[in-house]
Coordinates of all heavy atoms in Angstrom, one line a residue:
M1 N 18.7 -2.1 -18.3 CA 19.7 -1.4 -17.5 C 19.1 -0.2 -16.9 O 19.6 0.9 -17.1 CB 21.0 -1.0 -18.3 CG 21.7 -2.2 -18.8 SD 22.5 -3.2 -17.5 CE 24.1 -2.2 -17.4
H2 N 18.0 -0.3 -16.2 CA 17.4 0.9 -15.6 C 17.3 0.8 -14.1 O 16.5 1.5 -13.5 CB 16.0 1.0 -16.2 CG 16.0 1.5 -17.6 ND1 16.3 2.8 -17.9 CD2 15.8 0.9 -18.8 CE1 16.3 3.0 -19.2 NE2 16.0 1.8 -19.8
Q3 N 18.1 0.0 -13.5 CA 18.0 -0.1 -12.0 C 18.4 1.1 -11.3 O 17.8 1.5 -10.3 CB 18.9 -1.3 -11.5 CG 18.7 -2.6 -12.1 CD 19.8 -2.9 -13.2 OE1 20.0 -2.0 -14.0 NE2 20.4 -4.1 -13.1
R4 N 19.5 1.8 -11.9 CA 20.0 3.0 -11.2 C 19.8 4.2 -12.1 O 20.6 4.4 -13.0 CB 21.4 2.8 -10.8 CG 21.5 2.1 -9.5 CD 22.9 2.3 -8.9 NE 22.9 1.9 -7.5 CZ 23.4 2.7 -6.5 NH1 23.9 3.8 -6.8 NH2 23.3 2.3 -5.3
H5 N 18.8 5.0 -11.8 CA 18.6 6.2 -12.6 C 19.4 7.3 -12.1 O 19.3 7.6 -10.9 CB 17.1 6.5 -12.6 CG 16.8 7.7 -13.4 ND1 16.9 7.8 -14.7 CD2 16.5 9.0 -13.0 CE1 16.6 9.0 -15.1 NE2 16.4 9.8 -14.1
T6 N 20.3 7.9 -12.9 CA 21.1 9.0 -12.5 C 20.4 10.3 -12.9 O 20.2 10.5 -14.1 CB 22.5 9.0 -13.1 OG1 23.0 7.7 -12.8 CG2 23.4 10.1 -12.5
P7 N 20.0 11.1 -12.0 CA 19.3 12.3 -12.4 C 20.2 13.2 -13.2 O 21.3 13.5 -12.8 CB 18.9 13.0 -11.1 CG 19.3 12.2 -10.0 CD 20.2 11.1 -10.6
E8 N 19.7 13.7 -14.4 CA 20.5 14.6 -15.2 C 19.9 16.0 -15.3 O 18.7 16.1 -15.3 CB 20.6 14.0 -16.6 CG 21.5 12.8 -16.7 CD 21.9 12.5 -18.1 OE1 21.1 12.7 -19.0 OE2 23.0 12.0 -18.4
R9 N 20.8 16.9 -15.4 CA 20.4 18.3 -15.6 C 21.3 19.0 -16.7 O 22.3 18.4 -17.0 CB 20.5 19.1 -14.3 CG 19.6 18.7 -13.2 CD 18.1 19.0 -13.5 NE 17.2 18.6 -12.4 CZ 16.7 17.4 -12.2 NH1 17.0 16.4 -13.1 NH2 15.9 17.2 -11.2
S10 N 20.8 20.1 -17.2 CA 21.6 20.8 -18.2 C 22.1 22.1 -17.7 O 21.5 22.8 -16.9 CB 20.8 21.1 -19.4 OG 20.2 20.0 -19.9
C11 N 23.3 22.4 -18.1 CA 23.9 23.8 -17.7 C 23.0 24.8 -18.4 O 22.7 24.7 -19.6 CB 25.3 23.8 -18.2 SG 26.0 25.5 -18.2
V12 N 22.6 25.8 -17.7 CA 21.7 26.8 -18.3 C 22.4 27.7 -19.4 O 21.7 28.4 -20.1 CB 21.1 27.8 -17.2 CG1 20.2 27.0 -16.3 CG2 22.1 28.5 -16.5
V13 N 23.7 27.7 -19.4 CA 24.4 28.5 -20.4 C 24.8 27.6 -21.7 O 24.3 27.9 -22.8 CB 25.7 29.1 -19.8 CG1 26.4 29.9 -20.9 CG2 25.3 30.1 -18.7
C14 N 25.6 26.6 -21.5 CA 26.0 25.8 -22.7 C 25.1 24.7 -23.0 O 25.2 24.1 -24.1 CB 27.4 25.3 -22.5 SG 27.6 24.1 -21.2
G15 N 24.2 24.3 -22.1 CA 23.2 23.3 -22.4 C 23.7 21.8 -22.3 O 23.0 20.9 -22.6
T16 N 25.0 21.7 -21.8 CA 25.5 20.3 -21.7 C 24.8 19.6 -20.6 O 24.6 20.1 -19.5 CB 27.0 20.4 -21.3 OG1 27.7 21.2 -22.3 CG2 27.6 19.0 -21.2
K17 N 24.4 18.4 -21.0 CA 23.6 17.5 -20.1 C 24.6 16.6 -19.3 O 25.4 16.0 -19.9 CB 22.6 16.7 -20.9 CG 21.3 16.4 -20.2 CD 20.4 15.7 -21.1 CE 19.1 15.4 -20.4 NZ 18.2 14.5 -21.2
M18 N 24.4 16.6 -18.0 CA 25.3 15.7 -17.2 C 24.6 15.4 -15.9 O 23.6 15.9 -15.6 CB 26.7 16.3 -17.1 CG 26.8 17.6 -16.4 SD 28.5 18.1 -16.3 CE 28.6 19.2 -17.7
A19 N 25.2 14.5 -15.2 CA 24.7 14.1 -13.9 C 24.6 15.3 -13.0 O 25.5 16.1 -13.0 CB 25.6 13.0 -13.3
K20 N 23.5 15.3 -12.3 CA 23.2 16.4 -11.4 C 24.3 16.7 -10.5 O 24.7 17.9 -10.2 CB 21.9 16.0 -10.6 CG 21.0 17.1 -10.2 CD 19.8 16.5 -9.7 CE 19.3 17.2 -8.4 NZ 18.1 16.6 -7.8
R21 N 25.0 15.7 -10.0 CA 26.0 15.9 -9.0 C 27.3 16.5 -9.6 O 28.1 17.0 -8.9 CB 26.4 14.6 -8.3 CG 26.9 13.6 -9.2 CD 27.5 12.3 -8.5 NE 27.9 11.4 -9.5 CZ 27.2 10.5 -10.1 NH1 25.9 10.4 -9.8 NH2 27.6 9.7 -11.0
D22 N 27.4 16.5 -10.9 CA 28.5 17.1 -11.6 C 28.3 18.6 -12.0 O 29.1 19.3 -12.5 CB 28.9 16.4 -12.9 CG 29.4 15.0 -12.5 OD1 30.0 14.8 -11.4 OD2 29.2 14.1 -13.3
L23 N 27.1 19.1 -11.7 CA 26.8 20.5 -12.0 C 26.6 21.2 -10.6 O 26.5 20.6 -9.6 CB 25.4 20.6 -12.7 CG 25.4 20.0 -14.1 CD1 24.0 19.8 -14.6 CD2 26.1 21.0 -15.1
V24 N 26.7 22.5 -10.7 CA 26.5 23.3 -9.5 C 25.1 23.9 -9.5 O 24.7 24.5 -10.5 CB 27.6 24.4 -9.4 CG1 27.4 25.3 -8.1 CG2 29.0 23.8 -9.4
R25 N 24.4 23.7 -8.4 CA 23.0 24.3 -8.4 C 23.1 25.7 -7.7 O 23.7 25.9 -6.7 CB 22.1 23.4 -7.6 CG 20.7 23.8 -7.5 CD 19.8 22.8 -6.9 NE 18.4 23.2 -7.0 CZ 17.6 23.6 -6.0 NH1 18.1 23.6 -4.8 NH2 16.4 23.9 -6.2
I26 N 22.4 26.6 -8.4 CA 22.3 27.9 -7.8 C 20.8 28.1 -7.6 O 20.0 27.7 -8.4 CB 22.7 29.0 -8.9 CG1 24.0 28.6 -9.5 CG2 22.7 30.4 -8.3 CD1 25.1 29.4 -9.4
V27 N 20.5 28.6 -6.4 CA 19.1 28.7 -6.1 C 18.8 30.2 -5.7 O 19.6 30.9 -5.1 CB 18.8 27.7 -4.9 CG1 19.4 28.2 -3.6 CG2 17.3 27.5 -4.8
L28 N 17.6 30.6 -6.1 CA 17.1 31.9 -5.7 C 16.1 31.6 -4.6 O 15.1 31.0 -4.7 CB 16.3 32.5 -6.9 CG 15.7 33.9 -6.6 CD1 16.8 34.9 -6.4 CD2 14.8 34.4 -7.8
T29 N 16.6 31.9 -3.4 CA 15.8 31.5 -2.2 C 14.6 32.4 -2.1 O 14.5 33.5 -2.7 CB 16.7 31.8 -0.9 OG1 16.9 33.1 -0.8 CG2 18.0 31.0 -1.0
P30 N 13.6 31.9 -1.3 CA 12.4 32.7 -1.2 C 12.6 34.1 -0.6 O 11.8 35.0 -0.8 CB 11.5 31.9 -0.2 CG 12.0 30.5 -0.3 CD 13.5 30.6 -0.6
S31 N 13.7 34.3 0.1 CA 14.1 35.7 0.6 C 14.7 36.5 -0.5 O 15.0 37.7 -0.2 CB 15.0 35.5 1.8 OG 16.2 35.0 1.4
G32 N 14.9 36.0 -1.7 CA 15.4 36.8 -2.8 C 16.9 36.9 -3.0 O 17.3 37.6 -3.8
S33 N 17.6 36.0 -2.3 CA 19.0 36.1 -2.5 C 19.4 34.8 -3.3 O 18.8 33.8 -3.3 CB 19.8 36.2 -1.2 OG 20.0 34.9 -0.6
C34 N 20.5 35.0 -4.1 CA 20.9 34.0 -5.0 C 22.2 33.4 -4.5 O 23.1 34.1 -4.2 CB 21.2 34.8 -6.3 SG 21.4 33.7 -7.7
T35 N 22.1 32.1 -4.3 CA 23.2 31.5 -3.6 C 23.6 30.1 -4.2 O 22.7 29.4 -4.8 CB 22.9 31.4 -2.1 OG1 24.0 30.8 -1.4 CG2 21.7 30.4 -1.8
V36 N 24.8 29.7 -4.0 CA 25.3 28.4 -4.4 C 24.7 27.3 -3.5 O 24.9 27.4 -2.3 CB 26.8 28.3 -4.5 CG1 27.3 26.8 -4.8 CG2 27.4 29.2 -5.5
D37 N 24.0 26.3 -4.0 CA 23.4 25.3 -3.2 C 24.3 24.1 -3.2 O 24.1 23.2 -4.1 CB 22.0 25.0 -3.7 CG 21.3 23.9 -2.9 OD1 21.8 23.5 -1.9 OD2 20.3 23.4 -3.4
E38 N 25.2 24.0 -2.2 CA 26.1 22.8 -2.3 C 25.5 21.5 -1.8 O 26.0 20.5 -2.0 CB 27.4 23.2 -1.5 CG 28.2 24.2 -2.3 CD 29.5 24.6 -1.6 OE1 29.4 25.5 -0.8 OE2 30.5 24.0 -1.9
T39 N 24.3 21.6 -1.1 CA 23.7 20.4 -0.6 C 22.6 19.9 -1.7 O 22.2 18.8 -1.6 CB 22.9 20.7 0.7 OG1 21.9 21.6 0.4 CG2 23.8 21.2 1.8
G40 N 22.2 20.8 -2.6 CA 21.2 20.4 -3.6 C 19.8 20.3 -2.9 O 18.9 19.8 -3.5
K41 N 19.7 20.9 -1.8 CA 18.4 20.7 -1.0 C 17.7 22.0 -0.7 O 16.6 21.9 -0.1 CB 18.6 19.9 0.2 CG 19.0 18.4 -0.1 CD 19.2 17.6 1.2 CE 19.5 16.2 0.9 NZ 20.8 15.7 1.3
L42 N 18.3 23.1 -1.0 CA 17.7 24.4 -0.7 C 16.4 24.6 -1.4 O 16.3 24.2 -2.6 CB 18.6 25.5 -0.9 CG 19.8 25.7 0.0 CD1 20.7 26.9 -0.4 CD2 19.4 25.9 1.4
A43 N 15.4 25.2 -0.8 CA 14.2 25.5 -1.4 C 14.3 26.7 -2.3 O 15.1 27.6 -2.0 CB 13.1 25.8 -0.4
G44 N 13.6 26.8 -3.4 CA 13.6 27.9 -4.2 C 13.8 27.5 -5.7 O 14.0 26.3 -6.0
R45 N 13.8 28.5 -6.6 CA 14.0 28.2 -8.0 C 15.5 28.0 -8.2 O 16.3 28.8 -7.8 CB 13.5 29.4 -8.8 CG 13.7 29.1 -10.3 CD 13.0 30.2 -11.1 NE 11.5 30.1 -11.1 CZ 10.9 29.3 -11.9 NH1 11.5 28.5 -12.8 NH2 9.6 29.2 -11.9
G46 N 15.8 26.9 -8.9 CA 17.2 26.5 -9.1 C 17.6 26.6 -10.5 O 16.8 26.5 -11.5
A47 N 18.9 26.8 -10.7 CA 19.5 26.7 -12.1 C 20.8 26.0 -11.9 O 21.5 26.1 -10.9 CB 19.7 28.1 -12.6
Y48 N 21.2 25.2 -13.0 CA 22.4 24.5 -12.9 C 23.5 25.0 -13.8 O 23.2 25.5 -14.9 CB 22.1 23.0 -13.3 CG 21.3 22.3 -12.2 CD1 19.9 22.4 -12.3 CD2 21.9 21.6 -11.2 CE1 19.1 21.7 -11.3 CE2 21.1 21.0 -10.2 CZ 19.8 21.0 -10.3 OH 19.0 20.4 -9.3
L49 N 24.7 25.0 -13.3 CA 25.8 25.5 -14.2 C 26.9 24.4 -14.1 O 27.1 23.7 -13.1 CB 26.4 26.8 -13.6 CG 25.6 28.1 -13.9 CD1 26.3 29.2 -13.1 CD2 25.7 28.4 -15.4
C50 N 27.6 24.2 -15.3 CA 28.7 23.3 -15.3 C 29.9 24.0 -14.8 O 29.8 25.1 -14.3 CB 28.9 22.8 -16.7 SG 29.6 24.1 -17.8
H51 N 31.1 23.3 -14.8 CA 32.2 23.9 -14.2 C 33.1 24.8 -15.1 O 34.2 25.1 -14.7 CB 33.1 22.7 -13.6 CG 32.5 22.1 -12.4 ND1 33.2 21.3 -11.5 CD2 31.3 22.2 -11.9 CE1 32.5 20.9 -10.5 NE2 31.2 21.4 -10.7
Q52 N 32.6 25.1 -16.3 CA 33.4 25.9 -17.1 C 33.3 27.4 -16.7 O 32.2 27.9 -16.6 CB 32.9 25.8 -18.6 CG 33.1 24.5 -19.2 CD 32.7 24.5 -20.6 OE1 33.4 24.8 -21.5 NE2 31.4 24.1 -20.8
L53 N 34.4 28.0 -16.5 CA 34.4 29.4 -16.1 C 33.7 30.3 -17.1 O 33.0 31.2 -16.7 CB 35.9 29.9 -16.0 CG 36.2 30.9 -14.9 CD1 35.6 30.4 -13.5 CD2 37.7 31.1 -14.8
A54 N 33.8 30.0 -18.4 CA 33.1 30.8 -19.4 C 31.6 30.8 -19.1 O 30.9 31.8 -19.3 CB 33.4 30.3 -20.8
C55 N 31.0 29.7 -18.7 CA 29.6 29.6 -18.4 C 29.2 30.5 -17.2 O 28.2 31.1 -17.2 CB 29.2 28.2 -18.2 SG 29.2 27.2 -19.7
W56 N 30.1 30.5 -16.2 CA 29.8 31.3 -15.0 C 29.8 32.8 -15.4 O 29.0 33.5 -14.9 CB 30.8 31.0 -13.9 CG 30.5 29.7 -13.3 CD1 30.6 28.4 -13.8 CD2 29.8 29.5 -12.0 NE1 30.1 27.5 -12.9 CE2 29.7 28.1 -11.8 CE3 29.4 30.4 -11.0 CZ2 29.1 27.6 -10.6 CZ3 28.8 29.9 -9.9 CH2 28.6 28.5 -9.7
E57 N 30.8 33.1 -16.2 CA 30.9 34.5 -16.6 C 29.6 35.0 -17.4 O 29.1 36.0 -17.1 CB 32.1 34.8 -17.5 CG 33.4 34.8 -16.6 CD 34.7 35.1 -17.3 OE1 34.6 35.2 -18.6 OE2 35.7 35.1 -16.7
R58 N 29.2 34.1 -18.3 CA 28.0 34.4 -19.0 C 26.8 34.4 -18.2 O 25.8 35.2 -18.4 CB 27.8 33.5 -20.2 CG 28.3 34.2 -21.5 CD 27.7 33.5 -22.7 NE 28.4 32.3 -23.1 CZ 28.1 31.5 -24.0 NH1 26.9 31.6 -24.6 NH2 28.8 30.4 -24.3
A59 N 26.7 33.5 -17.2 CA 25.6 33.4 -16.3 C 25.5 34.6 -15.4 O 24.4 35.2 -15.2 CB 25.7 32.1 -15.5
V60 N 26.6 35.0 -14.8 CA 26.6 36.1 -13.8 C 26.7 37.4 -14.5 O 25.8 38.3 -14.3 CB 27.8 35.9 -12.9 CG1 27.9 37.0 -11.9 CG2 27.7 34.6 -12.1
K61 N 27.7 37.6 -15.4 CA 27.8 39.0 -15.9 C 26.9 39.2 -17.1 O 26.4 40.3 -17.4 CB 29.2 39.2 -16.4 CG 30.2 39.3 -15.2 CD 31.6 39.4 -15.7 CE 32.6 39.1 -14.5 NZ 33.9 38.5 -15.0
G62 N 26.6 38.1 -17.8 CA 25.8 38.2 -19.0 C 24.3 38.2 -18.7 O 23.5 38.3 -19.7
G63 N 23.9 37.9 -17.5 CA 22.5 38.0 -17.1 C 21.7 36.7 -17.4 O 20.5 36.6 -17.2
R64 N 22.4 35.6 -17.8 CA 21.7 34.4 -18.1 C 21.1 33.8 -16.9 O 20.0 33.2 -16.9 CB 22.8 33.4 -18.7 CG 22.2 32.2 -19.4 CD 21.4 32.6 -20.6 NE 20.7 31.4 -21.2 CZ 19.6 31.0 -20.7 NH1 19.0 31.6 -19.7 NH2 19.0 29.9 -21.3
L65 N 21.7 34.0 -15.8 CA 21.3 33.4 -14.5 C 20.0 34.1 -14.1 O 19.0 33.4 -13.7 CB 22.3 33.5 -13.4 CG 22.1 32.7 -12.2 CD1 22.1 31.2 -12.5 CD2 23.3 33.0 -11.2
A66 N 20.0 35.4 -14.1 CA 18.8 36.1 -13.7 C 17.6 35.7 -14.6 O 16.5 35.5 -14.1 CB 19.0 37.6 -13.9
H67 N 17.9 35.5 -15.8 CA 16.8 35.0 -16.7 C 16.3 33.6 -16.3 O 15.1 33.4 -16.3 CB 17.4 35.0 -18.2 CG 16.4 34.5 -19.2 ND1 15.4 35.3 -19.7 CD2 16.3 33.3 -19.8 CE1 14.7 34.6 -20.6 NE2 15.2 33.4 -20.6
S68 N 17.2 32.7 -16.1 CA 16.8 31.3 -15.7 C 16.1 31.3 -14.4 O 15.2 30.5 -14.2 CB 18.0 30.4 -15.6 OG 18.6 30.3 -16.9
L69 N 16.5 32.1 -13.5 CA 15.9 32.1 -12.1 C 14.7 33.0 -12.1 O 14.0 33.0 -11.1 CB 16.9 32.6 -11.1 CG 18.1 31.7 -10.9 CD1 19.2 32.3 -10.0 CD2 17.7 30.3 -10.3
R70 N 14.5 33.8 -13.1 CA 13.4 34.7 -13.2 C 13.3 35.6 -12.0 O 12.3 35.8 -11.3 CB 12.0 34.0 -13.3 CG 11.9 33.3 -14.7 CD 10.6 32.6 -14.8 NE 10.7 31.4 -15.6 CZ 9.8 30.4 -15.6 NH1 8.7 30.5 -14.9 NH2 10.0 29.4 -16.4
G71 N 14.5 36.1 -11.7 CA 14.6 37.1 -10.5 C 15.8 37.9 -10.7 O 16.5 37.8 -11.7
D72 N 16.0 38.8 -9.7 CA 17.2 39.6 -9.8 C 18.4 39.0 -9.1 O 18.3 38.4 -8.1 CB 16.9 41.0 -9.0 CG 15.9 41.8 -9.8 OD1 16.0 41.7 -11.1 OD2 15.1 42.6 -9.2
V73 N 19.5 39.2 -9.7 CA 20.8 38.8 -9.1 C 21.5 40.1 -8.7 O 21.8 40.9 -9.5 CB 21.6 38.0 -10.1 CG1 22.9 37.5 -9.5 CG2 20.9 36.7 -10.6
T74 N 21.6 40.3 -7.4 CA 22.1 41.6 -6.9 C 23.6 41.6 -7.1 O 24.3 40.6 -7.3 CB 21.8 41.8 -5.4 OG1 22.5 40.7 -4.7 CG2 20.3 41.6 -5.1
A75 N 24.2 42.8 -6.9 CA 25.6 43.0 -7.0 C 26.4 42.1 -6.0 O 27.4 41.5 -6.3 CB 26.0 44.4 -6.8
D76 N 25.8 42.0 -4.8 CA 26.4 41.1 -3.7 C 26.4 39.7 -4.2 O 27.3 38.9 -4.0 CB 25.6 41.2 -2.4 CG 26.0 42.4 -1.6 OD1 26.9 43.2 -2.1 OD2 25.4 42.6 -0.5
D77 N 25.2 39.2 -4.7 CA 25.1 37.8 -5.2 C 26.2 37.6 -6.3 O 26.8 36.6 -6.3 CB 23.7 37.6 -5.8 CG 22.6 37.7 -4.8 OD1 22.9 37.4 -3.6 OD2 21.5 37.9 -5.2
K78 N 26.3 38.5 -7.2 CA 27.2 38.4 -8.3 C 28.7 38.2 -7.8 O 29.4 37.4 -8.3 CB 27.2 39.6 -9.3 CG 25.9 39.5 -10.1 CD 25.9 40.7 -11.1 CE 24.6 40.6 -11.9 NZ 24.4 41.8 -12.8
A79 N 29.0 39.1 -6.8 CA 30.3 39.0 -6.2 C 30.6 37.6 -5.6 O 31.6 37.0 -5.8 CB 30.5 40.1 -5.2
R80 N 29.6 37.1 -4.9 CA 29.7 35.8 -4.2 C 29.8 34.7 -5.3 O 30.6 33.8 -5.1 CB 28.5 35.6 -3.3 CG 28.7 34.7 -2.2 CD 27.9 35.1 -0.9 NE 26.8 36.0 -1.1 CZ 25.5 35.6 -1.4 NH1 25.2 34.4 -1.6 NH2 24.6 36.5 -1.5
L81 N 29.0 34.8 -6.3 CA 29.1 33.7 -7.3 C 30.4 33.8 -8.1 O 31.0 32.7 -8.4 CB 27.9 33.9 -8.3 CG 26.5 33.6 -7.7 CD1 25.4 34.0 -8.6 CD2 26.4 32.2 -7.3
T82 N 30.9 35.0 -8.4 CA 32.2 35.1 -9.1 C 33.3 34.6 -8.2 O 34.2 33.9 -8.7 CB 32.4 36.6 -9.4 OG1 31.3 37.1 -10.2 CG2 33.7 36.8 -10.2
E83 N 33.2 34.8 -6.9 CA 34.2 34.3 -6.0 C 34.2 32.8 -6.0 O 35.2 32.1 -6.0 CB 33.8 34.8 -4.6 CG 35.0 35.0 -3.6 CD 34.6 35.7 -2.4 OE1 34.4 36.9 -2.4 OE2 34.4 35.0 -1.4
F84 N 32.9 32.2 -6.0 CA 32.8 30.8 -6.0 C 33.4 30.2 -7.3 O 34.0 29.2 -7.3 CB 31.3 30.4 -5.8 CG 31.1 28.9 -5.8 CD1 31.2 28.2 -4.6 CD2 30.9 28.2 -7.0 CE1 31.1 26.8 -4.7 CE2 30.7 26.8 -7.0 CZ 30.8 26.1 -5.8
S85 N 33.1 30.8 -8.4 CA 33.5 30.3 -9.7 C 35.0 30.3 -9.8 O 35.6 29.4 -10.5 CB 32.9 31.1 -10.8 OG 33.6 32.4 -10.9
A86 N 35.7 31.1 -9.0 CA 37.2 31.1 -9.0 C 37.7 29.9 -8.4 O 38.9 29.5 -8.6 CB 37.7 32.4 -8.3
T87 N 36.9 29.2 -7.6 CA 37.4 28.0 -7.0 C 37.2 26.7 -7.8 O 37.6 25.6 -7.5 CB 36.7 27.7 -5.6 OG1 35.3 27.4 -5.9 CG2 36.7 29.0 -4.7
L88 N 36.5 26.9 -8.9 CA 36.2 25.8 -9.8 C 37.4 25.4 -10.7 O 38.1 26.2 -11.1 CB 35.0 26.1 -10.7 CG 33.6 26.3 -10.1 CD1 32.7 26.8 -11.1 CD2 33.1 25.0 -9.5
T89 N 37.5 24.1 -10.9 CA 38.5 23.6 -11.8 C 37.7 23.0 -13.0 O 36.9 22.1 -12.8 CB 39.4 22.6 -11.2 OG1 38.6 21.7 -10.4 CG2 40.4 23.3 -10.3
A90 N 38.0 23.5 -14.1 CA 37.3 23.0 -15.3 C 37.7 21.6 -15.7 O 38.8 21.2 -15.4 CB 37.5 23.9 -16.5
Ligands
LIG101 ZN1 28.1 25.2 -19.2

């Protein structure tokens, strides 16, 4: 049963492994801004988060995301990510 391989990724906070399309990709673009990659095609270092609000809080406020992306997450980025997380339904 290997005809259709579903790419899997893990949430950087809770580590839950699931299909890539069920996670949200956050990318640190070459210009240094941190953004939600809804197409999954943006260039840059990426990190995946599941839809649990608790994971977003830990990723954004707890600094887990900056660690995974090995870059800075600015206050503007944090505001944008927090805004996005408010639209998620767990
Ligand atoms: Zn998670």
Side-chain angles (χ1 to χ4, degrees):
M1 297 290 275
H2 285 287
Q3 306 100 312
R4 274 196 166 229
H5 179 71
T6 309
E8 287 195 327
R9 293 292 183 276
S10 307
C11 168
V12 295
V13 176
C14 66
T16 304
K17 213 173 176 191
M18 59 181 97
K20 213 169 135 180
R21 63 172 178 274
D22 293 331
L23 293 161
V24 179
R25 183 172 187 248
I26 314 238
V27 74
L28 182 66
T29 66
S31 64
S33 82
C34 191
T35 184
V36 174
D37 176 14
E38 288 181 274
T39 63
K41 290 183 177 114
L42 287 179
R45 179 174 286 279
Y48 291 86
L49 282 175
C50 71
H51 287 197
Q52 293 183 88
L53 214 51
C55 287
W56 283 74
E57 283 181 359
R58 258 202 276 173
V60 177
K61 292 174 195 151
R64 192 71 186 79
L65 193 61
H67 178 81
S68 294
L69 294 172
R70 291 181 212 164
D72 287 328
V73 180
T74 66
D76 276 0
D77 294 335
K78 284 183 183 176
R80 210 148 12 92
L81 293 171
T82 301
E83 209 171 282
F84 181 87
S85 72
T87 70
L88 292 171
T89 44

